[in-house]
Amino acid sequence: VNVAVPMHGVATAFARSGTPGFRLVVHGGAGPLRSDRYTPDQERAFRATLDTALRLGYAVLSDGGPSLDAVQAAIQVLEDSPLFNAGRGAVLTSAGTVELDASIMDGRQRTAGSVAGLTRIKNPIALARVVMERTPHVMMAGEGAEALAWEQGIPMVSQEYFITEERKRGLETLQESRPLPSGSVHGTVGAVALDLDGHLAAGTSTGGLINKRPGRIGDSPIIGAGTFANATCAVSATGSGEHFIRNVVAYDICARMEYRGDSLQGAAEDVVLRKLVQEGGEGGVIALDKHGNVATPFNSEGMFRGWIGADGKAVVEIYR
Ligand code: ASP
């Protein structure tokens, strides 16, 4: 497998034809990430957590497991880590509370599940999957979604579990309009995977935007905006959610491939580096196609991202 990393953080990897290929790509959010904003220890911790997520997903895929399981396993590692803006360590609303959004999609059947405005679910991605597999619905929010979690035995926690000192400081700093400490804004997480049977899946999980109004919902739980997968392509996005919703970013990338015959890289770059930029949208995507090609364009300073394939070599990158 040959991985080339040209400019703009776009990586394209071609699985050799004839060899069974599987692949997993993860992200941990895009934003003003510059190497001078993190201490070596902080940077190591981010890299190590992304590496763990990749290896857990790799274990699923190399065993012949479904892409959906790999996506969920990788995302749960990042939700459990306080470093990323999902699950524990999610950013706070203007009221100092945590409200979580997540979604997952199975590209094979185009089934999807999504949850929004959760305040007590330890792993929102697990509940999104329950919505997909055990209800006739696609999207559930708030109390009704949490009642479903209770019924289905999905682990629930108190608000305190999610709230870290770092996120409290981040909110205070922002509300006093001082410059934000590093890592206090971004860190939405996502994963896309291709399994040995050639099936794609995508998922995204987030605490949304720091200082958002309670009740605000971003692109991450919106199928087609923050997450999309079909038989051709799988995408998970991160960035200024309102722009990603208005531009139906994840679906747009896959639709360009299907309707116009664009390459994965061409489609993803045009949407993220041109269309979103023109409108002031900030962020990036991870995208994977059925041949195992990977694109990770972002128009911000950095994006936590990594990928792993059948050779078991994990690559993690943060900056341009
Ligand atoms: N896209 C997420 C949202 O708007 C935030 C992010 O990715 O940083 O909720």
Side-chain angles (χ1 to χ4, degrees), residues 85-109:
N85 172 20
R88 184 162 144 70
V91 298
L92 307 184
T93 68
S94 57
T97 54
V98 163
E99 294 185 359
L100 305 167
D101 302 334
S103 65
I104 194 162
M105 186 159 187
D106 183 346
R108 183 175 37 157
Q109 292 140 339

Side-chain angles (χ1 to χ4, degrees), residues 63-74:
D63 223 32
S67 48
L68 208 57
D69 287 358
V71 163
Q72 184 181 349

Side-chain angles (χ1 to χ4, degrees), residues 3-13 265 269 294-298 305 307 317 319-320:
V3 179
V5 184
M7 281 165 60
H8 302 306
V10 178
T12 306
Q265 185 171 334
E269 281 192 33
V294 175
T296 64
F298 52 92
R305 61 203 187 279
W307 53 90
E317 293 188 344
Y319 314 110
R320 272 213 182 149

Side-chain angles (χ1 to χ4, degrees), residues 90-99 159-160 162-164 167-168 171-172 175 209-214:
V91 298
L92 307 184
T93 68
S94 57
T97 54
V98 163
E99 294 185 359
Q159 275 271 297
E160 289 80 74
F162 298 113
I163 300 176
T164 64
R167 298 304 189 194
K168 278 198 220 168
L171 182 66
E172 270 165 32
Q175 290 183 339
L209 297 181
I210 185 172
N211 203 32
K212 68 184 181 184
R213 286 182 74 109

Side-chain angles (χ1 to χ4, degrees), residues 27-31 85 91 99 101 185-189 204-210 212 216-221 226 237-245 282-284:
H27 73 78
N85 172 20
V91 298
E99 294 185 359
D101 302 334
V185 188
H186 292 274
T188 290
V189 307
T204 311
S205 182
T206 189
L209 297 181
I210 185 172
K212 68 184 181 184
R216 179 265 186 188
I217 292 169
D219 59 314
S220 309
T238 172
S240 51
E242 283 68 11
H243 292 101
F244 284 71
I245 295 172
E282 198 217 334

Side-chain angles (χ1 to χ4, degrees), residues 52-133:
T52 304
L54 287 170
R55 291 193 186 284
L56 220 74
Y58 175 87
V60 171
L61 295 171
S62 60
D63 223 32
S67 48
L68 208 57
D69 287 358
V71 163
Q72 184 181 349
I75 289 179
Q76 287 194 186
V77 169
L78 304 172
E79 286 179 335
D80 291 344
S81 161
L83 296 175
F84 296 96
N85 172 20
R88 184 162 144 70
V91 298
L92 307 184
T93 68
S94 57
T97 54
V98 163
E99 294 185 359
L100 305 167
D101 302 334
S103 65
I104 194 162
M105 186 159 187
D106 183 346
R108 183 175 37 157
Q109 292 140 339
R110 278 205 203 227
T111 48
S114 136
V115 284
L118 304 179
T119 58
R120 294 188 299 155
I121 307 303
K122 181 170 173 280
N123 291 108
I125 197 70
L127 187 57
R129 186 155 177 190
V130 165
V131 172
M132 175 173 88
E133 290 179 340

